[in-house]
Amino acid sequence: MARWIAVDWGTTTLRATLMEGRAPVDTRQSGDGMNGLARDAFEPALIALIDDWLTDKTEILCCGMVGARQGWAEAPYHTVPCPPPVGLVPVETSDRRLNIRIVPGLRQLKPHPDVMRGEETQIAGIISEIKDFDGIACLPGTHTKWAHISAGEVVSFRTAMTGELFATICSQTVLRHSLTGSDWAEGPFLEAVSDALSRPETLTARLFELRAADLLLGQEPATARAILSGLLIGAELAATKPWWLGRDVVVTGSETTTAAYVTALKSQGLSPRILPADAMTLAGLAAAKDMT
C-alpha cells in the first residue's frame, strides 16, 4: 500500500504523520507554525521535519493555517452549504520529491459571516467515521466551532471565541491574580454553566465577582477557574442553542477542553459522542485523498 504524508499545519505548530492507507505509521512535530514563517520558509521547514520520509513525488496533504493568506499558498474558502473537503489547492515547490495539496477552509455569508480553516478537515473525518450523520459537530478550541452537518455537507456553522477569552482573562486581566494553577471543581463549573445559560446578560458583572470573592472570601483558584470556564461556556451555549438543542452532537477537541464541553452538554440533557481530534484530522485528510 502506497505511503503518503498527512500534515496539520497550525498557527504555532507543524505536525506531520506518515500514513499507510488510513493507518498512521509515525508522527513528528515541530514549532514551525505559520506565524513564525515567511512564505519562502515553509518548504524548508517541512523538509527539515520529514526529509527521510520523502521519495519521488511523495503525496502530501495539508490542512490548517498553511492555507491562509499569510501561509504557504492561499487556499480560498468555499461557501457553505458544501461537503468538506472540496477543491484541494496544489502548491508549487522547488523539491521534486514534494507533491503537495492544501485543503481549503469554509466560509459562511449568511445568516452571519463566519469562517473556518482546519476544522473542516476534522468535520470530514467525523463524516467518514459516522456514516449518514445528521447533527452537530462541536469543535472546542481557541475559537470553538458549532457546525450543522447533513447529507455529507456542512449546512451552517457558528464560531465562539470562548477559548481565546478564557486564556486572555487568565493572563492579561486583573482576574489573573485569582486564577492561578490548573485544578478543577465540577460543582461550581456546572452552577456557572446553568447561571450563564439562564442569565447571559450578567456575564461581565459575574466575572468581576471572581476577584471580589478571592479578596473578601478567600475563594480557591480552582473554584474561580471552574466558575470562569462555566460562565464562558454557558454563555456560548446560550448563543448557540439553535445548533445543539435537541440535536445529535459529536464533540471533537483536546482531552481537557472536550471534557468541559461534554460535562456542560450533559447537564442540559444531551448525550454527546466524543471523537478524538487528532484521529479526525487524519481521517479527514484520508477522505480528501480518497476523493482525488
Side-chain angles (χ1 to χ4, degrees), residues 139-145 160-164 236 252-254 257 261:
L139 308 168
T142 303
H143 302 145
T144 297
K145 309 292 182 182
M161 290 179 58
T162 304
E164 186 170 2
E236 178 182 331
T252 295
S254 68
T257 311
Y261 276 81

Side-chain angles (χ1 to χ4, degrees), residues 86-98:
V86 60
L88 303 183
V89 175
V91 180
E92 292 186 7
T93 65
S94 58
D95 191 319
R96 65 185 301 273
R97 297 176 297 170
L98 303 176

Side-chain angles (χ1 to χ4, degrees):
M1 187 175 293
R3 292 190 172 190
W4 60 284
I5 298 172
V7 176
D8 182 3
W9 207 327
T11 303
T12 60
T13 303
L14 163 60
R15 180 181 296 108
T17 301
L18 180 63
M19 302 287 291
E20 190 168 281
R22 287 179 167 265
V25 176
D26 190 14
T27 297
R28 296 173 182 174
Q29 181 172 307
S30 78
D32 288 322
M34 183 271 292
N35 265 0
L37 298 174
R39 180 152 290 182
D40 60 1
F42 281 85
E43 184 173 331
L46 181 61
I47 291 173
L49 187 65
I50 64 169
D51 185 72
D52 59 315
W53 291 352
L54 299 175
T55 58
D56 186 49
K57 292 295 182 182
T58 303
E59 187 171 13
I60 302 172
L61 267 64
C62 304
C63 67
M65 295 307 292
V66 65
R69 187 170 301 171
Q70 302 79 18
W72 191 349
E74 184 175 7
Y77 296 108
H78 286 262
T79 304
V80 297
C82 66
V86 60
L88 303 183
V89 175
V91 180
E92 292 186 7
T93 65
S94 58
D95 191 319
R96 65 185 301 273
R97 297 176 297 170
L98 303 176
N99 175 20
I100 295 178
R101 287 170 297 163
I102 297 176
V103 177
L106 300 181
R107 68 176 185 174
Q108 176 177 274
L109 302 177
K110 57 184 183 180
H112 56 267
D114 213 332
V115 294
M116 70 167 71
R117 191 176 292 282
E119 294 90 354
E120 77 293 321
T121 304
Q122 293 180 338
I123 292 172
I126 293 170
I127 292 172
S128 69
E129 183 74 15
I130 307 175
K131 304 302 181 185
D132 301 319
F133 179 67
D134 192 328
I136 304 299
C138 171
L139 308 168
T142 303
H143 302 145
T144 297
K145 309 292 182 182
W146 297 82
H148 177 203
I149 301 168
S150 183
E153 293 189 334
V154 176
V155 179
S156 63
F157 62 98
R158 186 70 159 169
T159 302
M161 290 179 58
T162 304
E164 186 170 2
L165 283 173
F166 183 87
T168 300
I169 290 169
C170 286
S171 63
Q172 299 183 38
T173 73
V174 69
L175 297 184
R176 69 185 185 278
H177 305 295
S178 305
L179 297 166
T180 57
S182 58
D183 291 339
W184 186 253
E186 185 172 301
F189 169 77
L190 288 174
E191 290 177 9
V193 168
S194 177
D195 193 21
L197 255 170
S198 59
R199 298 187 300 162
E201 72 278 4
T202 67
L203 175 62
T204 55
R206 285 296 313 275
L207 292 178
F208 191 75
E209 287 180 17
L210 298 175
R211 182 59 178 158
D214 177 18
L215 294 173
L216 302 179
L217 305 175
Q219 180 170 265
E220 292 293 326
T223 299
R225 288 178 66 87
I227 293 173
L228 172 61
S229 180
L231 290 173
L232 294 178
I233 290 177
E236 178 182 331
L237 292 182
T240 57
K241 188 176 289 188
W243 271 263
W244 56 263
L245 186 63
R247 300 286 189 91
D248 187 6
V249 178
V250 172
V251 184
T252 295
S254 68
E255 184 176 348
T256 300
T257 311
T258 293
Y261 276 81
V262 167
T263 299
L265 288 168
K266 284 183 175 179
S267 75
Q268 301 306 306
L270 276 70
S271 300
R273 288 182 275 183
I274 302 172
L275 292 174
D278 290 347
M280 290 306 97
T281 297
L282 295 179
L285 287 171
K289 179 179 179 298
D290 290 344
M291 292 173 60
T292 58

